[in-house]
Amino acid sequence: MSADPMTPGQPVEPQDPPLTRRARRRNLATAVVFLVAVWVLLWGTFTWANVISGLVVVAVLLTVFPLPPVTFAGRIHPWGLLRFTGRFLVDLVVASAQIAGLALRFGHTPRGAIIAVPLRIASDLNLTLTAEALSLVPGSLILEADRSTGTLYIHVLGVHTLDDVERFRRSVLALEERIIAAIGSPDEQRRMAAATRTGPPPADLEGAPT
């Protein structure tokens, strides 16, 4: 016989309150700004033509594929945002140089791996932002994002050993930590600090180089 979900003493999962009209408008504006920024970054040049075309593409995407009501419960932390931006730009330059080096090594076949990285903060927004930031860095490609477990499956170039796999996993977790430090809520930052103290989970052997 199944347990009664209303049995006293049994924890009941809290339900998220419905979004207000103001919250929906704020989330929509945030999504538009972020997606246009991604569009401009993908083109690699900031021009008004790229901005306007990005607005058109985003408007079509949000009309045809409306986003789920993801609530932004945090706030902008200027120092954390500056730290995230600076490190992201450094990673972008370093990764571009590494990929260029691989391309210039004639006769060498680059090895890669598919690495599963379970994130420590299970939220749709954190999963999305971490996946987007990884996708913008050359050499890594998001193959799948498992929303139920908060796990990203990433194809990575230039991986030769299990030490390389573990090093990349730690870099993804460090990226997640910087994102939470930049825009996370106080509760998310407390949980991140606790998870950082306990250390990352054991490595998944699915990340073995191929």
Side-chain angles (χ1 to χ4, degrees):
M1 180 180 296
S2 60
D4 185 354
M6 299 305 292
T7 301
Q10 182 176 352
V12 179
E13 185 157 349
Q15 298 294 324
D16 293 331
L19 293 178
T20 63
R21 181 175 300 178
R22 180 179 179 182
R24 287 196 297 269
R25 287 199 298 265
R26 180 192 62 192
N27 288 352
L28 179 61
T30 302
V32 169
V33 171
F34 180 76
L35 291 173
V36 170
V38 171
W39 176 265
V40 173
L41 285 172
L42 289 174
W43 278 101
T45 306
F46 180 84
T47 64
W48 285 112
N50 286 341
V51 173
I52 293 172
S53 62
L55 287 171
V56 173
V57 171
V58 169
V60 173
L61 286 176
L62 294 180
T63 300
V64 178
F65 306 104
L67 294 175
V70 177
T71 303
F72 173 60
R75 63 187 180 89
I76 302 298
H77 305 279
W79 172 246
L81 185 61
L82 181 63
R83 178 169 168 259
F84 165 77
T85 304
R87 180 56 186 270
F88 176 77
L89 293 176
V90 170
D91 290 344
L92 196 63
V93 172
V94 171
S96 298
Q98 291 174 339
I99 295 301
L102 288 175
L104 294 175
R105 294 177 63 181
F106 298 105
H108 171 73
T109 301
R111 300 186 66 184
I114 298 174
I115 304 175
V117 183
L119 302 183
R120 293 166 291 184
I121 303 299
S123 72
D124 289 345
L125 184 61
N126 181 51
L127 189 71
T128 301
L129 292 181
T130 305
E132 290 288 353
L134 286 170
S135 297
L136 291 174
V137 176
S140 57
L141 176 66
I142 303 296
L143 298 180
E144 184 181 351
D146 190 336
R147 183 183 181 190
S148 62
T149 62
T151 301
L152 294 175
Y153 295 88
I154 312 157
H155 183 269
V156 189
L157 285 177
V159 175
H160 301 280
T161 65
L162 289 177
D163 288 339
D164 293 337
V165 171
E166 187 59 28
R167 190 178 301 112
F168 179 80
R169 291 180 71 255
R170 289 197 300 268
S171 72
V172 174
L173 296 179
L175 170 63
E176 179 197 18
E177 184 177 352
R178 290 192 294 272
I179 289 175
I180 295 300
I183 63 168
S185 66
D187 177 64
E188 289 173 337
Q189 292 188 341
R190 283 193 297 269
R191 286 189 286 145
M192 177 60 70
T196 302
R197 286 193 298 269
T198 57
D204 190 342
L205 292 181
E206 187 174 354
T210 58

